[in-house]
Amino acid sequence: MSAASDLEFLRKIQRLLSEGEFVATYKFALLQALADLSVETVSSSGNSMRIALTDIAEKFIEYYWRQAIPYAPELDQVGVLKQNTGKQAAVINSIIKARNQFFGSIQLARQNAASWKKLVAKVVGTIKDQPLWKLQLVGKEIDEFIYRQDKLEDGCIELFPGVSSVFRSFHGLISNLVQGAWLGQIRRVRGNRILLGERGDLVEFLFGSERRNLDAYRMVMRDYQRAICFYCGKQVLGEGNADHFIPWSRYPIDLGHNFVFAHPSCNGFKSDLLAHTDHLARWRECNLEAPRELEDAFNFNELAHDVERSRHVALWAYEQGEQSRVHTYLGKGDYPSLDGSWREAMGGLRAVAEAPASYD
Ligand SMILES: [Zn+2]
């Protein structure tokens, strides 16, 4: 797509979020899922892209899983935020059931293949019924600019050529737009007003990281790295931190392989920067190509992990970073800008998408 058509696409997304009729929050989830899957499942900005409804449904379950916790815990189920202007959204009810059945652990729920499949199928049904044909509806008019609504083959939709590439280029921007609109909808639902009260942590609650898990990841990575800091190579004497290797601010992903164990100070110096290519090469070796031991540890502790998604997110983040020539974190006070050498660090050209023809 050209700059002009990128802009036109973003304008349409904006219009859809501000003028589309939203009863449930499903449309936000659908848009977010399409953006996330464009990053997590392809390694280059290809042409048209097929996305399975089951993959979209799994993203729905992920997003709503945390949102189905009571916002006001003292009220139990009544304290769950409404994701719909009428009665509670069906997907939330199914997820609450699954949460209860699996003690709140999405990992445990996934491990029970039969019931997970049932849950996914149910969510697919809802997606087909509602957001799939409503997403591109503004007023009474359908403007198909993301995918063809009547074309559903082998349970997949097909994004128009260039769409996944705009989702990849503007992932942060689009996520912010979607989350802002989602937040607004939750606030507008009458039944939520009393729950929301004066608390100011709604954004963190809806879209933040689960702190409980961070601690569990920290323990696993600490063991795995024998208490050695990933960045400076020295022993960590205190508790240490679990650092999101691809920074949370760039892409909010809480998946096992994306974590490294580090000094709180090293973690602080790195802050929201991408790590330098030297670190990237080590991360690939130690985490992406980790021995089975690491995956077993994640499973044992019921922690989410998906090595391919982590790899794709890293490829995407460095591709984006190279285009805007970001500074990377090598060590304290040492922030070289990112060049093409990251491709080598990720395993050479064959493993990585070819560089786009031009960056100008
Ligand atoms: Zn350190």
Side-chain angles (χ1 to χ4, degrees):
M1 277 195 188
S2 66
S5 58
D6 282 0
L7 208 59
E8 181 60 21
F9 184 88
L10 291 174
R11 212 193 308 274
K12 283 182 175 182
I13 293 278
Q14 209 172 17
R15 175 159 178 242
L16 184 153
L17 289 172
S18 59
E19 293 173 28
E21 277 168 45
F22 293 81
V23 177
T25 55
Y26 294 151
K27 282 190 273 192
F28 306 124
L30 176 56
L31 201 52
Q32 188 67 53
L34 298 179
D36 287 353
L37 290 168
S38 293
V39 167
E40 293 169 22
T41 59
V42 291
S43 40
S44 69
S45 311
N47 286 328
S48 50
M49 177 187 167
R50 278 158 63 90
I51 297 183
L53 290 186
T54 49
D55 286 344
I56 297 176
E58 296 214 20
K59 295 308 282 183
F60 268 58
I61 297 170
E62 257 174 54
Y63 306 147
Y64 286 117
W65 190 269
R66 49 167 304 119
Q67 300 191 358
I69 306 171
Y71 185 69
E74 67 280 10
L75 297 178
D76 200 27
Q77 215 151 300
V78 186
V80 176
L81 291 170
K82 284 218 169 73
Q83 301 276 351
N84 199 345
T85 49
K87 52 183 197 241
Q88 182 60 284
V91 167
I92 291 282
N93 288 332
S94 309
I95 288 177
I96 290 175
K97 258 191 223 146
R99 282 194 72 101
N100 291 338
Q101 192 182 347
F102 296 102
F103 317 104
S105 162
I106 193 167
Q107 275 313 96
L108 277 186
R110 265 204 191 99
Q111 280 165 21
N112 187 322
S115 84
W116 182 256
K117 212 172 147 191
K118 238 167 100 182
L119 178 60
V120 170
K122 208 164 172 194
V123 177
V124 165
T126 305
I127 293 171
K128 271 195 200 158
D129 265 0
Q130 299 189 41
L132 199 63
W133 64 270
K134 279 189 188 165
L135 179 68
Q136 302 173 100
L137 183 71
V138 176
K140 287 202 161 39
E141 182 192 327
I142 288 180
D143 180 8
E144 292 184 313
F145 68 104
I146 306 175
Y147 53 87
R148 274 264 303 279
Q149 301 196 156
D150 59 354
K151 201 173 161 199
L152 197 64
E153 273 170 9
D154 310 324
C156 293
I157 54 165
E158 190 172 321
L159 300 187
F160 287 123
V163 166
S164 71
S165 128
V166 192
F167 277 136
R168 289 168 67 80
S169 299
F170 298 102
H171 185 273
L173 184 69
I174 291 173
S175 300
N176 283 340
L177 289 175
V178 170
Q179 291 179 7
W182 193 328
L183 197 69
Q185 177 74 1
I186 295 276
R187 287 214 168 101
R188 267 193 301 278
V189 172
R190 201 173 274 279
N192 287 337
R193 284 190 195 150
I194 203 150
L195 288 180
L196 293 175
E198 296 301 314
R199 279 175 64 178
D201 59 348
L202 185 57
V203 180
E204 178 68 16
F205 178 83
L206 292 175
F207 310 113
S209 179
E210 290 192 52
R211 296 287 149 188
R212 182 183 65 84
N213 278 349
L214 276 189
D215 216 43
Y217 282 117
R218 180 178 60 81
M219 302 298 278
V220 170
M221 295 316 289
R222 187 191 164 90
D223 277 358
Y224 180 60
Q225 292 174 213
R226 312 280 184 265
I228 301 291
C229 172
F230 182 83
Y231 295 105
C232 70
K234 294 184 187 135
Q235 187 87 29
V236 179
L237 296 172
E239 276 204 331
N241 281 172
D243 172 58
H244 289 93
F245 185 74
I246 299 300
W248 175 265
S249 60
R250 293 197 158 257
Y251 198 91
I253 180 174
D254 274 341
L255 288 175
H257 298 86
N258 190 44
F259 285 101
V260 295
F261 179 71
H263 286 111
S265 55
C266 290
N267 186 16
F269 293 137
K270 175 174 173 265
S271 183
D272 290 342
L273 296 173
L274 289 177
H276 183 264
T277 339
D278 292 354
H279 296 311
L280 179 67
R282 220 154 18 82
W283 176 73
R284 174 179 62 92
E285 272 166 38
C286 299
N287 285 21
L288 294 186
E289 285 157 25
R292 192 52 210 254
E293 162 199 348
L294 184 58
E295 216 172 288
D296 289 344
F298 291 140
N299 285 336
F300 182 77
N301 290 283
E302 292 161 22
L303 293 169
H305 61 89
D306 181 332
V307 71
E308 278 317 301
R309 266 169 72 189
S310 297
R311 183 195 310 275
H312 283 303
V313 169
L315 291 174
W316 167 83
Y318 277 83
E319 186 184 281
Q320 297 294 312
E322 186 190 352
Q323 290 184 33
S324 36
R325 296 184 179 84
V326 295
H327 291 281
T328 60
Y329 174 73
L330 183 56
K332 186 185 174 188
D334 201 357
Y335 307 117
S337 44
L338 183 63
D339 57 28
S341 62
W342 68 268
R343 287 164 202 279
E344 208 54 54
M346 279 301 281
L349 278 176
R350 266 167 311 157
V352 182
E354 293 275 341
S358 72
Y359 286 151
D360 49 2

